[in-house]
Amino acid sequence: MVSTTEPQRKLIIQIPCFNEADSLPVCLAELPREVSGFTQVEWLIIDDGSSDATIEVARAHGVDHVVRHAGNKGLARAFMSGLDACLRLGADVIVNTDADNQYCAADIPALTLPILEHQADLVIGARPISAIEHFSPVKKALQRLGSWVVRVASKTDVPDAPSGFRAISRAAAQRMMVFSDYTYTLETIIQAGQKNLTVVSVPIRVNADLRPSRLVKSIPSYIQRSIVTIIRIFIVYRPFRFFGSIGIALFSVGVLIGLRFLWKYVSGDGEGHVQSLILAGALLGMGFQTLLIAFVADLLSANRKLLEDMRVKVAELSKDD
């Protein structure tokens, strides 16, 4: 029996779902109803426009809350809908996991412990990527690349950034905003790093593969989407570095070509190298314009951060009212 002097904390475990009627029972059978440090543990699924019996299966297996999308909005939107619902339901900590039972639910206490001990705002479950047999070498390489990009952009030390098994404090969840329609995993870590939230990783176990990944429909498609996601991450969260690097590169090449023409001209051989002067002028102009874009993009990024802070403050005021 829970002591009345123990802090009242609610944990909600959310599961984004899209046509998961077959795998969901296996996943739900593993979820805990009691987790150390929490007085309430509830389950929530986000039905992302399923056409099968996902909702009926969820309710039959004791899911407490169901959020429904009228159509398929994608994993990132399902994740954010879940966070919003969990906050409205009074969650102190939110755990996100997948409906394919990829992650070992017995590791949820280890995932939430750093938050309970006030050592983290966001906890990422780090899978043993190299030991997962059903991951192809290409997918493993892309996982490592994505994690490296996130570490550079967020200034955090996350070994498995694409992992969807994560625990989020209430304060961190209130500050999350996902712009990508494809996946939330990389973007949320970068946001946490920019907002000075503490991000840590804990090792977790994985279960046997129940079905192929919905995100990885084919290796070429996965590579294309991963590259686009990585580029968008740098544009949105490091705009000055992204456009500034391009601008400096163009400007530098223009200067070098211009100096080459100037040397030829001083040596009396400039008449046959007018095309170098034209190219240098074009590169210098492009570099200067790109640097201007870098400053404008940086101002827009600062404005976005202010709007996100206003959103959090409005949410806090609404809760107080």
Side-chain angles (χ1 to χ4, degrees), residues 54-319:
T54 293
I55 292 179
E56 290 77 8
V57 168
R59 286 177 172 152
H61 286 78
V63 168
D64 302 284
H65 311 285
V66 175
V67 176
R68 301 188 68 172
H69 285 175
N72 183 244
K73 308 295 184 183
L75 180 59
R77 295 287 167 251
F79 173 79
M80 286 305 302
S81 294
L83 289 192
D84 291 341
C86 290
L87 291 172
R88 288 196 304 270
L89 292 165
D92 295 293
V93 179
I94 302 164
V95 165
N96 185 85
T97 189
D98 287 353
D100 61 0
N101 200 43
Q102 174 186 175
Y103 308 109
C104 182
D107 290 331
I108 288 178
L111 203 65
T112 58
L113 185 61
I115 294 178
L116 292 176
E117 293 182 343
H118 305 288
Q119 295 178 352
D121 301 295
L122 173 63
V123 184
I124 311 296
R127 297 165 292 180
I129 297 295
S130 59
I132 301 178
E133 295 181 358
H134 61 271
F135 278 15
S136 68
V138 173
K139 185 174 181 179
K140 290 179 180 179
L142 288 172
Q143 298 274 10
R144 288 191 289 269
L145 175 61
S147 297
W148 174 80
V149 169
V150 169
R151 286 195 293 272
V152 171
S154 66
K155 297 181 180 178
T156 62
D157 186 19
V158 179
D160 186 13
S163 171
F165 195 40
R166 48 187 62 192
I168 310 160
S169 70
R170 181 178 183 85
Q174 288 175 329
R175 302 179 70 84
M176 293 289 179
M177 281 289 293
V178 177
F179 297 95
S180 172
D181 291 326
Y182 181 52
T183 183
Y184 59 88
T185 53
L186 310 183
E187 193 170 341
T188 49
I189 297 173
I190 293 172
Q191 278 194 11
Q194 285 207 325
K195 297 175 188 299
N196 292 320
L197 300 174
T198 304
V199 183
V200 303
S201 293
V202 297
I204 60 165
R205 295 162 290 176
V206 294
N207 298 315
D209 191 26
L210 289 181
R211 60 161 175 76
S213 171
R214 298 274 171 78
L215 285 179
V216 188
K217 296 180 179 178
S218 67
I219 293 299
S221 172
Y222 184 68
I223 292 173
Q224 179 184 354
R225 284 178 174 267
S226 297
I227 292 173
V228 170
T229 298
I230 289 169
I231 292 173
R232 285 190 65 183
I233 283 171
F234 271 107
I235 291 175
V236 173
Y237 296 102
R238 288 288 185 268
F240 190 83
R241 178 183 294 184
F242 181 83
F243 290 109
S245 298
I246 295 174
I248 290 172
L250 291 171
F251 200 85
S252 299
V253 173
V255 168
L256 290 174
I257 294 175
L259 289 173
R260 176 179 177 274
F261 171 79
L262 185 61
W263 173 259
K264 294 287 185 181
Y265 182 80
V266 171
S267 302
D269 192 26
E271 190 172 329
H273 298 277
V274 178
Q275 64 273 22
S276 296
L277 180 62
I278 296 172
L279 179 59
L283 289 172
L284 288 170
M286 292 168 61
F288 181 72
Q289 290 179 341
T290 307
L291 287 172
L292 288 179
I293 291 174
F295 283 101
V296 173
D298 193 53
L299 290 174
L300 291 174
S301 178
N303 185 60
R304 175 180 55 77
K305 292 175 185 176
L306 290 174
L307 291 173
E308 290 177 1
D309 290 340
M310 288 178 60
R311 172 179 172 270
V312 173
K313 292 184 185 299
V314 169
E316 290 174 349
L317 291 172
S318 300
K319 181 184 177 184

Side-chain angles (χ1 to χ4, degrees), residues 8-15 27-28 30-46 58 61-67 82 85-97 105 108 112 166 170:
Q8 302 295 302
R9 296 193 188 97
K10 179 188 284 190
L11 169 67
I12 298 183
I13 304 171
Q14 71 168 36
I15 311 173
C27 177
L28 294 176
E30 299 295 325
L31 291 187
R33 277 298 186 181
E34 294 183 359
V35 175
S36 178
F38 296 95
T39 51
Q40 289 178 267
V41 178
E42 298 176 358
W43 303 345
L44 178 145
I45 71 159
I46 307 97
H61 286 78
V63 168
D64 302 284
H65 311 285
V66 175
V67 176
C86 290
L87 291 172
R88 288 196 304 270
L89 292 165
D92 295 293
V93 179
I94 302 164
V95 165
N96 185 85
T97 189
I108 288 178
T112 58
R166 48 187 62 192
R170 181 178 183 85

